[in-house]
Amino acid sequence: MSASAVFVLDLKGKVFTEYFKELEEESIQDNFVVVYELLDELMDFGFPQTTDSKILQEYITQKGNKLEVAKTKVPTTVTNAVSWRSEGIKYKKNEVFIDVIESINVLVNANGSVMSSDIVGSIKLKTMLSGMPELRLGLNDRMLFALTGRDKGKSVAMEDVKFHQCVRLSRFESDRTISFIPPDGESELMSYRINTHVKPLIWIESVIEKFSHSRVEIMVKAKGQFKKQSVANNVEIHVPVPSDADSPKFKASTGHAKYVPEKNLVVWSIKSFPGGKEFLMRAHFGLPSVENHELEGRPPITVKFEIPYFTVSGIQVRYMKIIEKSGYQALPWVRYITQSGDYQLRTNS
Amino acid sequence: LKVINCCVWDPSGEIFELKAELNSDKKEKKKEAVKKVIASMTVGKDVSALFPDVVNCMQTDNLELKKLVYLYLMNYAKSQPDMAIMAVNTFVKDCEDPNPLIRALAVRTMGCIRVDKITEYLCEPLRKCLKDEDPYVRKTAAVCVAKLHDINAQLVEDQGFLDTLKDLISDSNPMVVANAVAALSEIAESHPNSNLLDLNPQTINKLLTALNECTEWGQIFILDCLANYMPRDDRESQSICERVTPRLSHANSAVVLSAVKVLMKFMEMLPKDLDYYGTLLKKLAPPLVTLLSAEPELQYVALRNINLIVQKRPEILKHEMKVFFVKYNDPIYVKLEKLDIMIRLASQANIAQVLAELKEYATEVDVDFVRKAVRAIGRCAIKVEQSAERCVSTLLDLIQTKVNYVVQEAIVVIKDIFRKYPNKYESVIATLCENLDSLDEPEARAAMIWIVGEYAERIDNADELLESFLEGFHDESTQVQLQLLTAIVKLFLKKPTETQELVQQVLSLATQDSDNPDLRDRGYIYWRLLSTDPVAAKEVVLAEKPLISEETDLIEPTLLEELICHIGTLASVYHKPPSAFVEGSRGVQHKRLPARMGAGLGAAPAAMPASLGGAPAVGGGLGDLFDLGGGVGMPTGSYVAPKTAWLLAMKAKGLEISGTFARRGGIIQMDLSLTNKAMSVMTDFAIQFNRNSFGLAPAGPMQVLTPLSPNQTIDVSLPLSMSGPVMKMEPLNNLQVAVKNNIDVFYFSCQYPLSLLFVEDGKMDRQVFLATWKDIPNDNEAQFQIKDIHLNSDVASNKLQGSNIFTIAKRTVEGQDMLYQSVKLTNGIWVLAEMRIQTGNPNYTKTNGFRDCMQKQMYDSTSVVRFSSK
């Protein structure tokens, strides 16, 4: 009753995969003792208790017999107010790596109008800091003002922000300070969502003509609608083709196109795609003279890409203050990247 | 799990082998043996025969081995209670182990062993663990109290564990607080009136503080607990909302959903014109939308919840239509749910976009999805009047595709569109008729037949069309048969000359050759109607039909309210109340949303002058108690007022209800007379009360066993309990009732005499009475004069006793009899009274000294008592 519907999904997603890499029938069978132990700690009488796999790993290990002596103590972390970080962590060199990653979700209609587009941003940390450090993250004013709704003029406004449980939410609510004691290692500190009407970064125009019983002709034009100084890497444009197509022929102005029959796709890959440039790809397929009677869906064209050193929203990490009682100096490293998320363009064939 | 061992299992051999291994001297071998036992147990083999051998392995310093043995015990203790006792000693010892992990493990496991004999031994170790120095042990012990309560509630109460648990709410460790809250909520759920969670502004404040420090799951317990609190006024409601809103930024979706639940609930109490109300609406949308960026399973949970929220408060997401647009790679369950929400959000402002999308979806390949998309177009037409024309033309385009299931689905919804906009789109009938032959699903055939019958006068060959169906009449499903019968009768009434033969044919098919009683009955009714009074037949059969509306797709309001109270739990995913799928006593209590306070006035009931409110009713009630009707009432029973009309037939489609209340042998009953003044039979009666001042609620369903035929009256006695939700009513004794039958739901309100609530053990001890009388502040006193009563003090005292007003003492001063009386209400409030009777003067003066003044504070103190007393 009281157990939340989200809990089970959380289990599946996080804890078990951390323990067994892949969650399948076999991995459960092979590890049933650990599964029992985990379930015991995760939940008591239907009440979820701890689902932080890093902390669980401190006292439930896959090789239990090794640790007979060591395991005589509950990690205080389990019941601490700071339940996500253990005490006594030591690093020779204290560093924090901050990744600001923005994923672009776009849905474009067959007639070329943008149905919906948003940016899901994420600030990920890789913390390698000793002790119990107090961190404060400073973002550029533009972002934070947008959050309070005081600044409506700018094009970018954060719709919603989510924080890792380490961030003091009430503090953020009152004075917009992002302060926290970070979990050790990798974690997602915050995520945000922005509704924008910015131009899709890579624009695709396509003509897919199907001549029954004979051939399919595909023409795809891709245009980089971002700053000339930036370059999109590892661009992949996935164009759907009918499942019974054969004898592919391609002609691409750059990169190379490949037919992936098991997915019914043409994958056009472009290693580096500078902003403002436009490329063209043509493909030709044969169709059997006997019609395929199975109804086929109309999958959209999807695009994958990565643009380093660039964020659509203009978010910037201004500072990261790190204070620990031992007084060490620590360096924050920041990296920005924009990538495709769910990037779909419907076709009309 | 797959069965690991595929060959035939020879139990005796394997068990024998395991037995030997379990008793081995080598630790490692022992452990491997226990693992094998657990593995067998997990795949469902019976290894209970090894009980003593496994228990022997319990005394070990190997934690892993101990855990496995405990696991075995939990599984088999119930079937081997006598042997389970053997384990008790080790449990008790383990509860004092220096290693807190072992102490916690022992107390956790003992709670899971549901054997009475063992529970007795559990009490002492549990008591120690509840006060353990290690928070890990305390948090485990807190949950153990809930487990124990589930096995033996009385024991938990007797041992005082509930008080210890309450103390843990103030524990220094947030995880312990969270588990204590979770355990208390759980216990309170199965005992709605136990007042366990003493929720008052102070504890609420404590919980809100703990909220900032708890782990994510602990935050959920606290939020869920907060959701059960009933704020006193809109100001308190707002201040709680303000402190809960930061949780909307939590990365854990479950925390977000629980926060949404609290906000949705408390919003009910905020006046809509309050600025903060608007702010809150705006704050709710973004986190709900963000939930949709998660993986599909979580998206589905979010969508099911959003579906409820959108029905309750469409304004929250009215600008967010686009996020519900379906993506090609969404799993089908996400697609269908998104579609449903799209229709609910459809409005004139966004209909063009929605229709374009729906048209796109209707050409996909997934049959279920396509069908739902087509149906959605029809629902949009019904919901957004301005779009109806566009929807109809979209549907016609789809019919042209000739995809069989699209055509059938389209015809079903077009029938609904005709029902909503009669005489508007008949021009499309010709196109529909072209597809007659391709319809092979009953629903589509029935819809088409209905259309032909309804518009028979405009379809030249209606008789031919219907006749073609008639050939295979007996192979059709009932739905189609009924529709065909009605359609042909309609046709006959419209074109009597040409269709006489046809109608006779269908009537005889329906009445003579069919086994289906519904069909036969309908056939006979038509037949008789047509043969006795064709004019009347026309009036009945061709009567104007009520228009349909989009409401048919909405969840019924009381269920919706309850589901809103369960946001984030399984109930919100199933769209069913917990009682529908949770066994046992848990979840039986139906949750309700709080009522909105007087709009914009910031109404504060506590500030109301004492003289207002229920005074007239109370005064009247006092008169009634003396049974002024002439003394016919039995002296020992309480007074029962004659039945009065509560619901008039003209307001309730022919259902008339009169009734009264009675208290018989400590049981409160609502006596009802149900009269059917309509022409048709009434069935499926049910009754429900709105929240009220004293938590009156039906103790069981209303038993109306036989259908109520026209002009018949049935008397029903409905036992009531006091376990319903409490809300102050105006006047205090007002009760709002909803009665449902097969026709509709009807609402009325009635007032119950307060004497209904006077309990049998309301006789206060003399000394206590004296002391209490002195303590009552003057403000809490009220005086009434009761006129024209010709009873002496003894008779009056006797009569009052029948109504549970007890005379504690009597004295005579200057020719006046003074009676001192006590009354106890069901919610624990005491009322003390002094009655002065002047002999020869038919006017009595009654001074009521209430522990708390009646009109004003009875409700307030009700809530206090309700939550604090045991």
Side-chain angles (χ1 to χ4, degrees):
Chain A
M1 250 303 291
S2 51
S4 145
V6 175
F7 173 69
V8 181
L9 303 170
D10 204 58
L11 265 188
K12 184 203 120 189
K14 287 195 274 182
V15 182
F16 284 146
T17 39
E18 290 266 333
Y19 266 86
F20 311 133
K21 299 255 159 42
E22 269 180 49
L23 180 65
E24 333 174 294
E25 197 174 321
E26 229 160 86
S27 57
I28 292 181
Q29 273 178 7
D30 295 348
N31 295 291
F32 74 92
V33 176
V34 181
V35 172
Y36 275 133
E37 280 193 68
L38 280 176
L39 285 176
D40 231 20
E41 287 303 325
L42 288 167
M43 182 163 73
D44 192 6
F45 200 44
F47 303 134
Q49 300 289 306
T50 312
T51 49
D52 190 322
S53 55
K54 271 186 214 127
I55 303 305
L56 285 167
Q57 267 161 351
E58 286 183 28
Y59 66 116
I60 296 179
T61 54
Q62 260 135 319
K63 295 180 190 77
N65 40 355
K66 269 192 195 165
L67 279 158
E68 273 167 41
V69 196
K71 269 203 307 183
T72 54
K73 198 171 116 246
V74 189
T76 49
T77 330
V78 179
T79 50
N80 255 355
V82 181
S83 64
W84 54 88
R85 186 185 178 90
S86 306
E87 279 168 46
I89 296 171
K90 278 210 178 74
Y91 285 98
K92 270 191 192 149
K93 195 174 175 191
N94 290 296
E95 290 175 307
V96 190
F97 297 90
I98 307 167
D99 278 355
V100 180
I101 302 164
E102 290 192 345
S103 302
I104 315 294
N105 299 322
V106 173
L107 180 62
V108 180
N109 213 349
N111 57 24
S113 57
V114 178
M115 302 301 290
S116 67
S117 75
D118 63 4
I119 303 169
V120 176
S122 158
I123 298 185
K124 292 190 171 159
L125 295 184
K126 188 172 180 192
T127 317
M128 297 163 80
L129 297 172
S130 314
M132 277 286 175
E134 261 293 335
L135 272 57
R136 221 165 72 216
L137 177 71
L139 298 175
N140 46 337
D141 286 352
R142 186 170 155 198
M143 300 307 287
L144 293 177
F145 279 130
L147 272 174
T148 50
R150 264 180 276 169
D151 177 305
K152 285 269 189 291
K154 294 274 183 348
S155 60
V156 183
M158 275 196 192
E159 260 304 271
D160 189 30
V161 195
K162 290 276 177 288
F163 291 106
H164 186 275
Q165 58 164 324
C166 66
V167 177
R168 297 177 183 98
L169 293 181
S170 40
R171 176 107 189 254
F172 178 75
E173 186 81 4
S174 64
D175 62 5
R176 303 279 128 188
T177 310
I178 303 172
S179 77
F180 56 99
I181 297 171
D184 189 41
E186 289 177 25
S187 59
E188 182 176 58
L189 179 70
M190 66 178 272
S191 64
Y192 53 89
R193 195 168 47 79
I194 303 174
N195 265 341
T196 58
H197 296 284
V198 286
K199 275 189 250 169
L201 295 178
I202 291 186
W203 183 250
I204 303 286
E205 277 170 40
S206 69
V207 181
I208 303 179
E209 278 179 297
K210 195 171 161 183
F211 303 92
S212 287
H213 316 299
S214 81
R215 63 189 197 280
V216 182
E217 280 173 10
I218 297 170
M219 193 277 293
V220 177
K221 197 162 78 180
K223 191 178 175 193
Q225 305 192 108
F226 45 91
K227 276 186 285 183
K228 287 204 171 68
Q229 306 92 294
S230 294
V231 174
N233 292 337
N234 303 321
V235 179
E236 276 188 15
I237 299 161
H238 295 206
V239 186
V241 290
S243 60
D244 51 359
D246 55 39
S247 44
K249 279 179 223 143
F250 305 109
K251 213 167 99 188
S253 61
T254 189
H256 80 283
K258 198 175 71 182
Y259 177 44
V260 186
E262 64 273 21
K263 288 182 180 161
N264 302 321
L265 282 180
V266 173
V267 178
W268 178 19
S269 347
I270 303 163
K271 268 270 165 286
S272 85
F273 194 138
K277 283 273 174 353
E278 201 176 293
F279 299 114
L280 199 74
M281 189 271 288
R282 283 179 193 281
H284 179 283
F285 284 88
L287 281 180
S289 51
V290 185
E291 182 114 20
N292 184 357
H293 283 292
E294 257 173 63
L295 268 177
E296 278 184 40
R298 285 178 302 151
I301 294 178
T302 55
V303 184
K304 290 182 182 165
F305 60 86
E306 265 178 28
I307 308 175
Y309 321 113
F310 168 77
T311 55
V312 184
S313 65
I315 189 173
Q316 265 173 25
V317 175
R318 279 279 142 85
Y319 59 84
M320 169 76 98
K321 286 209 172 109
I322 302 165
I323 302 162
E324 215 276 335
K325 54 176 184 279
S326 65
Y328 58 71
Q329 286 292 311
L331 284 176
W333 305 90
V334 190
R335 193 163 62 162
Y336 300 94
I337 195 164
T338 292
Q339 63 185 29
S340 57
D342 205 348
Y343 202 104
Q344 302 188 355
L345 302 102
R346 291 180 183 156
T347 62
N348 45 25
S349 77
Chain B
L1 285 177
K2 223 189 281 170
V3 178
I4 297 171
N5 200 343
C6 287
C7 56
V8 179
W9 189 50
D10 164 25
S12 56
E14 193 173 330
I15 293 226
F16 184 77
E17 221 168 86
L18 283 172
K19 207 179 180 86
E21 284 174 38
L22 284 170
N23 291 311
S24 155
D25 295 333
K26 287 186 193 136
K27 267 191 181 172
E28 211 37 48
K29 202 161 190 185
K30 236 182 192 173
K31 198 168 90 184
E32 283 312 307
V34 176
K35 271 194 190 174
K36 278 187 213 162
V37 172
I38 301 289
S40 302
M41 182 182 96
T42 307
V43 295
K45 292 178 190 169
D46 182 12
V47 284
S48 61
L50 294 166
F51 202 95
D53 308 281
V54 176
V55 171
N56 270 340
C57 302
M58 199 170 163
Q59 295 215 26
T60 169
D61 45 8
N62 183 320
L63 190 57
E64 195 190 351
L65 180 56
K66 201 179 263 292
K67 278 186 184 172
L68 291 173
V69 175
Y70 277 4
L71 209 58
Y72 180 91
L73 273 173
M74 277 190 257
N75 208 18
Y76 286 116
K78 189 114 211 203
S79 60
Q80 314 248 345
D82 294 327
M83 281 206 271
I85 293 287
M86 300 190 329
V88 163
N89 254 335
T90 320
F91 274 130
V92 175
K93 228 173 83 195
D94 281 356
C95 283
E96 301 193 0
D97 196 279
N99 182 345
L101 275 178
I102 294 193
R103 292 203 296 276
L105 181 64
V107 81
R108 183 162 63 211
T109 312
M110 276 180 95
C112 297
I113 296 181
R114 304 175 61 89
V115 174
D116 282 340
K117 282 183 200 156
I118 290 201
T119 26
E120 286 167 29
Y121 293 99
L122 177 59
C123 293
E124 281 322 299
L126 178 57
R127 197 186 314 283
K128 271 185 207 147
C129 288
L130 280 167
K131 303 222 155 99
D132 200 284
E133 52 172 24
D134 193 304
Y136 181 78
V137 181
R138 288 202 303 278
K139 74 134 188 157
T140 312
V143 176
C144 188
V145 176
K147 293 179 189 170
L148 192 58
H149 189 271
D150 193 39
I151 305 168
N152 190 341
Q154 195 58 45
L155 184 73
V156 169
E157 269 167 53
D158 295 347
Q159 294 280 335
F161 286 142
L162 294 180
D163 294 321
T164 323
L165 203 52
K166 278 189 224 166
D167 294 342
L168 286 184
I169 291 190
S170 316
D171 198 280
S172 59
N173 186 299
M175 184 92 178
V176 177
V177 177
N179 273 10
V181 170
L184 282 171
S185 306
E186 176 85 18
I187 295 172
E189 196 125 339
S190 52
H191 290 70
N193 289 329
S194 52
N195 306 323
L196 264 181
L197 276 160
D198 185 9
L199 291 181
N200 53 49
Q202 287 77 37
T203 43
I204 290 294
N205 197 31
K206 234 188 270 174
L207 290 178
L208 284 167
T209 313
L211 193 57
N212 290 326
E213 292 159 10
C214 269
T215 66
E216 38 191 0
W217 304 107
Q219 293 184 17
I220 293 167
F221 305 147
I222 292 182
L223 287 170
D224 289 351
C225 173
L226 280 177
N228 290 328
Y229 177 62
M230 200 71 83
R232 286 162 311 172
D233 51 43
D234 51 343
R235 247 166 295 153
E236 192 187 7
S237 191
Q238 176 174 346
S239 82
I240 296 175
C241 287
E242 279 166 356
R243 293 179 67 180
V244 167
T245 39
R247 295 299 123 195
L248 294 174
S249 301
H250 201 288
N252 185 326
S253 330
V255 176
V256 175
L257 280 176
S258 285
V260 168
K261 163 164 60 191
V262 175
L263 297 175
M264 283 293 288
K265 241 184 132 170
F266 289 1
M267 252 175 125
E268 283 292 301
M269 295 184 68
L270 299 177
K272 283 197 168 175
D273 49 2
L274 194 71
D275 282 348
Y276 183 71
Y277 180 83
T279 315
L280 207 50
L281 280 181
K282 275 194 210 113
K283 279 194 171 169
L284 276 167
L288 288 172
V289 173
T290 303
L291 291 176
L292 300 179
S293 331
E295 51 268 54
E297 293 91 341
L298 279 182
Q299 277 187 48
Y300 181 71
V301 171
L303 286 167
R304 291 294 278 177
N305 279 287
I306 289 173
N307 199 330
L308 297 173
I309 292 166
V310 163
Q311 290 184 55
K312 183 73 196 166
R313 296 194 182 281
E315 62 269 36
I316 294 178
L317 288 166
K318 66 177 175 201
H319 298 303
E320 304 289 347
M321 174 61 90
K322 284 181 174 183
V323 302
F324 299 104
F325 285 171
V326 171
K327 296 205 172 135
Y328 182 77
N329 45 344
D330 282 335
I332 181 70
Y333 53 89
V334 168
K335 283 185 175 167
L336 294 176
E337 206 56 35
K338 278 187 173 173
L339 203 50
D340 210 48
I341 294 171
M342 278 174 68
I343 304 162
R344 299 199 193 284
L345 286 176
S347 67
Q348 202 185 342
N350 56 26
I351 194 73
Q353 241 181 351
V354 173
L355 267 181
E357 279 293 295
L358 292 176
K359 203 173 169 184
E360 176 91 27
Y361 304 160
T363 57
E364 295 241 359
V365 283
D366 189 311
V367 178
D368 285 340
F369 182 54
V370 171
R371 281 174 180 275
K372 190 144 183 179
V374 176
R375 223 163 252 238
I377 297 173
R379 276 168 70 186
C380 284
I382 290 163
K383 187 169 176 194
V384 187
E385 187 159 359
Q386 297 83 349
S387 77
E389 200 157 337
R390 240 181 308 175
C391 294
V392 172
S393 78
T394 308
L395 287 169
L396 284 179
D397 288 350
L398 290 170
I399 288 177
Q400 299 306 342
T401 64
K402 302 277 175 196
V403 178
N404 185 273
Y405 52 85
V406 173
V407 173
Q408 309 213 36
E409 211 57 50
I411 285 178
V412 172
V413 288
I414 286 179
K415 184 201 93 174
D416 285 346
I417 296 176
F418 284 165
R419 283 289 308 273
K420 169 81 182 183
Y421 310 107
N423 307 319
K424 228 172 154 183
Y425 299 109
E426 284 71 27
S427 53
V428 309
I429 292 176
T431 320
L432 302 185
C433 289
E434 287 164 23
N435 292 284
L436 209 63
D437 299 331
S438 65
L439 309 179
D440 54 8
E441 291 165 19
E443 203 182 354
R445 286 173 84 83
M448 191 65 223
I449 292 169
W450 182 88
I451 293 171
V452 174
E454 187 68 15
Y455 298 102
E457 69 274 27
R458 307 183 198 195
I459 305 171
D460 292 338
N461 60 342
D463 48 344
E464 281 169 38
L465 293 175
L466 292 175
E467 200 171 359
S468 70
F469 281 103
L470 211 53
E471 282 160 25
F473 188 78
H474 289 300
D475 301 327
E476 299 284 1
S477 72
T478 311
Q479 190 183 9
V480 179
Q481 289 175 332
L482 286 168
Q483 219 40 268
L484 198 50
L485 172 61
T486 305
I488 292 178
V489 171
K490 281 183 193 164
L491 173 70
F492 171 71
L493 289 167
K494 288 174 180 176
K495 302 181 184 172
T497 45
E498 309 128 62
T499 56
Q500 198 139 15
E501 205 174 314
L502 192 62
V503 81
Q504 258 164 5
Q505 207 182 336
V506 78
L507 285 174
S508 85
L509 278 171
T511 53
Q512 284 159 27
D513 302 338
S514 170
D515 293 335
N516 186 313
D518 286 347
L519 188 62
R520 284 217 313 259
D521 281 358
R522 196 186 281 192
Y524 279 125
I525 288 169
Y526 284 144
W527 204 325
R528 277 176 204 151
L529 258 176
L530 292 173
S531 53
T532 44
D533 189 350
V535 181
K538 217 165 186 164
E539 272 169 29
V540 171
V541 180
L542 302 181
E544 208 167 298
K545 282 156 213 63
L547 299 182
I548 57 169
S549 68
E550 53 136 353
E551 279 155 39
T552 44
D553 294 315
L554 298 174
I555 295 179
E556 188 254 330
T558 44
L559 177 61
L560 181 63
E561 280 204 3
E562 190 177 356
L563 292 177
I564 291 281
C565 300
H566 290 289
I567 282 177
T569 69
L570 273 185
S572 69
V573 179
Y574 288 155
H575 287 187
K576 283 179 190 163
S579 51
F581 60 90
V582 179
E583 281 181 29
S585 57
R586 253 172 267 148
V588 172
Q589 197 189 0
H590 292 277
K591 293 191 178 176
R592 291 285 179 77
L593 291 176
R596 188 173 300 279
M597 296 294 185
L601 290 172
M608 268 192 333
S611 55
L612 291 179
V618 174
L622 280 177
D624 288 346
L625 293 181
F626 286 102
D627 192 5
L628 300 179
V632 270
M634 282 181 293
T636 48
S638 71
Y639 168 78
V640 178
K643 282 181 183 163
T644 49
W646 283 342
L647 183 68
L648 297 178
M650 49 191 266
K651 286 189 176 171
K653 304 190 179 164
L655 177 66
E656 190 162 285
I657 298 180
S658 61
T660 185
F661 293 90
R663 188 178 181 94
R664 299 187 182 100
I667 294 166
I668 301 175
Q669 280 175 322
M670 186 183 202
D671 294 342
L672 295 159
S673 294
L674 309 175
T675 308
N676 182 353
K677 298 209 164 166
M679 304 303 286
S680 59
V681 174
M682 295 177 179
T683 55
D684 305 330
F685 285 94
I687 193 164
Q688 230 173 12
F689 295 175
N690 198 356
R691 287 151 294 204
N692 53 71
S693 314
F694 293 92
L696 274 174
M702 182 159 69
Q703 303 280 349
V704 182
L705 297 173
T706 48
L708 191 57
S709 1
N711 274 326
Q712 193 194 350
T713 300
I714 321 189
D715 291 329
V716 187
S717 257
L718 181 71
L720 306 183
S721 75
M722 313 296 294
S723 56
V726 175
M727 180 184 75
K728 190 190 176 191
M729 295 300 294
E730 207 54 64
L732 203 59
N733 57 343
N734 194 20
L735 180 66
Q736 295 176 338
V737 183
V739 170
K740 183 197 98 107
N741 62 11
N742 55 331
I743 299 165
D744 205 346
V745 182
F746 310 104
Y747 303 91
F748 61 86
S749 60
C750 51
Q751 295 181 0
Y752 47 88
L754 275 180
S755 59
L756 202 64
L757 310 166
F758 298 171
V759 297
E760 281 66 24
D761 64 343
K763 189 159 188 168
M764 200 180 245
D765 178 82
R766 254 183 111 104
Q767 297 304 320
V768 180
F769 186 94
L770 277 173
T772 315
W773 186 261
K774 280 185 211 145
D775 283 349
I776 294 173
N778 286 340
D779 293 355
N780 285 6
E781 272 188 26
Q783 271 201 21
F784 306 97
Q785 210 175 42
I786 304 162
K787 291 187 173 161
D788 296 324
I789 298 178
H790 302 275
L791 300 171
N792 69 33
S793 58
D794 289 336
V795 180
S797 172
N798 262 340
K799 273 197 183 299
L800 287 172
Q801 181 143 355
S803 293
N804 295 335
I805 300 172
F806 300 94
T807 305
I808 310 294
K810 176 185 164 186
R811 63 186 176 132
T812 312
V813 183
E814 296 165 2
Q816 295 182 354
D817 284 342
M818 311 282 274
L819 294 179
Y820 292 90
Q821 295 165 316
S822 76
V823 169
K824 189 181 161 195
L825 295 183
T826 45
N827 55 8
I829 291 181
W830 286 91
V831 181
L832 309 186
E834 177 189 62
M835 185 154 62
R836 197 160 61 231
I837 302 170
Q838 286 172 311
T839 344
N841 180 349
N843 298 346
Y844 292 6
T845 303
K846 184 155 184 162
T847 306
N848 281 14
F850 298 94
R851 276 296 297 266
D852 299 288
C853 174
M854 196 135 183
Q855 289 79 33
K856 181 177 82 137
Q857 281 173 338
M858 187 170 296
Y859 172 72
D860 295 341
S861 46
T862 312
S863 55
V864 172
V865 174
R866 199 174 113 83
F867 291 123
S868 64
S869 73
K870 288 183 207 146

